[in-house]
Amino acid sequence: MSDSEDDYMSEAILGKTEDVKPGIATSREHRRQLEISKREFREPQLKKHELEAHRRHEALNKPVSSENKGFALLAKMGYKPGMSLGKAKEADEERRTEPIGIQIKFGRKGLGHETQEKEHQVERCEAHLKYMAERAKQSDVLAEEFRKKKQEDVATKVVVADIMKSRKACQDLDLREGKSAPEDRYLWPVIREVVVDEQEQFQPKRLRYDVEQKYVYKYSTGELAYEEPDFYTMDSEELDFRLNAVTTYLRSHHHYCVWCGCTYESEEDITANCPGSSRTCHDEDNFE
């Protein structure tokens, strides 16, 4: 071998060759590329129960081959794929062309438990729907009662306002005539004053509230009056009675209508020109 020829084992020859062994990484980048290619071509690993279900589904859906002995016997008797077996009970009954499907039972529950559980579920659903219907009905009843209560409260406030307005007008008209007290206890407004004893007078105000309060009832002229309860604690009949007593006195004695807001010249004048002796008669909707 001449000196001009390189040795085949020399570095000059071995450095030019490439390592073509599959699966062996020569560098970090080469190793990363190999891992990526393995992940791309790797088949998805199914779990054990998924694999069993997949194989079971394939086996059950696979038709009987013509090489099967049972199929060969049926073929000799004239059976062809797609034909039905057996005799129909009725003329229009469709006969089965496929075998009865297999239902795999999982768990340790007894036979018929699922049917009973479905029945219980239907019963619970019906009971829940019935309960919700009763709740909705009860809500409607409560809403109607609340609406009526609000209407009654508004009506009570209107009647109380009319009573206070009528009593104030009656007091002013009676005072013009020089009266010091009303003819009836229901005609004038009553003022309630707290009675303070001499011993309580020098006590701090915060201690006075601990003692039971004593009240005295008077008219604006200083005359004593009867004790009067709170109007909002009275029923509608009592309020209507008090309002009717004041308005009747105003119309008969002073020829005054609290809803018209004016004094008429005579009883004939108020009868002819006043719409009526109640608030309902003075509503705009009742005017012709």
Side-chain angles (χ1 to χ4, degrees):
M1 184 173 59
S2 61
D3 296 337
S4 61
E5 295 180 359
D6 295 332
D7 187 7
Y8 71 94
M9 295 295 293
S10 64
E11 185 67 24
I13 299 299
L14 294 177
K16 297 179 181 180
T17 60
E18 295 182 359
D19 188 5
V20 293
K21 294 180 180 179
I24 298 178
T26 57
S27 63
R28 182 177 298 177
E29 180 65 21
H30 189 200
R31 186 183 300 108
R32 191 175 69 84
Q33 294 294 335
L34 290 175
E35 291 178 356
I36 292 174
S37 61
K38 287 180 181 180
R39 285 198 296 268
E40 290 178 353
F41 294 101
R42 185 183 302 170
E43 295 183 359
Q45 297 293 332
L46 297 177
K47 295 182 180 180
K48 184 177 181 180
H49 67 278
E50 294 177 349
L51 185 60
E52 291 178 356
H54 179 68
R55 291 176 179 175
R56 187 187 309 113
H57 180 72
E58 288 183 351
L60 293 176
N61 292 335
K62 184 178 180 181
V64 179
S65 63
S66 58
E67 298 177 357
N68 187 276
K69 292 183 179 181
F71 184 84
L73 292 174
L74 291 174
K76 289 180 180 180
M77 292 185 290
Y79 175 78
K80 295 181 180 180
M83 294 177 60
S84 59
L85 297 177
K87 184 178 180 181
K89 295 181 180 180
E90 298 179 1
D92 56 347
E93 183 181 1
E94 295 183 359
R95 293 180 290 179
R96 184 181 294 275
T97 58
E98 296 292 337
I100 298 175
I102 300 176
Q103 295 182 356
I104 307 300
K105 183 178 179 300
F106 300 96
R108 304 180 63 181
K109 297 180 181 179
L111 297 176
H113 180 79
E114 295 181 356
T115 304
Q116 187 177 7
E117 189 173 356
K118 289 181 180 179
E119 292 177 356
H120 291 337
Q121 186 176 4
V122 172
E123 292 177 358
R124 289 194 297 268
C125 183
E126 292 177 353
H128 180 69
L129 292 176
K130 184 178 179 181
Y131 170 74
M132 294 301 295
E134 292 178 355
R135 284 287 302 273
K137 185 177 180 180
Q138 186 178 6
S139 299
D140 295 339
V141 173
L142 293 176
E144 185 65 23
E145 292 179 355
F146 177 78
R147 194 178 299 110
K148 290 182 179 179
K149 183 65 169 59
K150 284 296 182 181
Q151 292 176 356
E152 292 176 357
D153 293 343
V154 172
T156 301
K157 290 181 180 179
V158 172
V159 174
V160 170
D162 290 342
I163 291 175
M164 300 301 294
K165 184 178 179 181
S166 301
R167 294 171 74 175
K168 183 65 171 61
C170 183
Q171 175 183 273
D172 295 341
L173 294 174
D174 285 346
L175 289 177
R176 292 178 186 177
E177 295 181 354
K179 296 181 180 180
S180 60
E183 295 183 3
D184 195 350
R185 55 183 295 186
Y186 304 117
L187 300 181
W188 285 17
V190 178
I191 302 172
R192 188 181 69 174
E193 296 180 355
V194 180
V195 179
V196 181
D197 297 338
E198 295 181 357
Q199 297 179 357
E200 298 177 359
Q201 186 175 3
F202 299 100
Q203 292 181 356
K205 291 184 178 180
R206 60 184 180 84
L207 297 178
R208 295 180 189 176
Y209 294 103
D210 298 336
V211 184
E212 184 178 358
Q213 298 289 336
K214 298 178 182 179
Y215 301 100
V216 61
Y217 297 87
K218 298 180 180 180
Y219 296 114
S220 60
T221 57
E223 297 290 335
L224 294 177
Y226 290 96
E227 181 179 354
E228 188 174 58
D230 188 5
F231 285 140
Y232 292 100
T233 60
M234 300 179 182
D235 55 5
S236 59
E237 295 181 358
E238 180 67 19
L239 292 175
D240 292 338
F241 170 76
R242 289 174 178 263
L243 178 61
N244 186 42
V246 182
T247 54
T248 302
Y249 176 80
L250 287 172
R251 294 175 68 88
S252 61
H253 190 78
H254 297 287
H255 309 302
Y256 179 82
C257 177
V258 66
W259 293 287
C260 295
C262 61
T263 303
Y264 293 90
E265 295 181 357
S266 62
E267 186 174 354
E268 292 78 10
D269 186 16
I270 191 173
T271 303
N273 298 317
C274 181
S277 60
S278 64
R279 171 177 285 275
T280 307
C281 299
H282 291 76
D283 291 340
E284 295 181 359
D285 296 338
N286 295 327
F287 289 161
E288 295 181 358

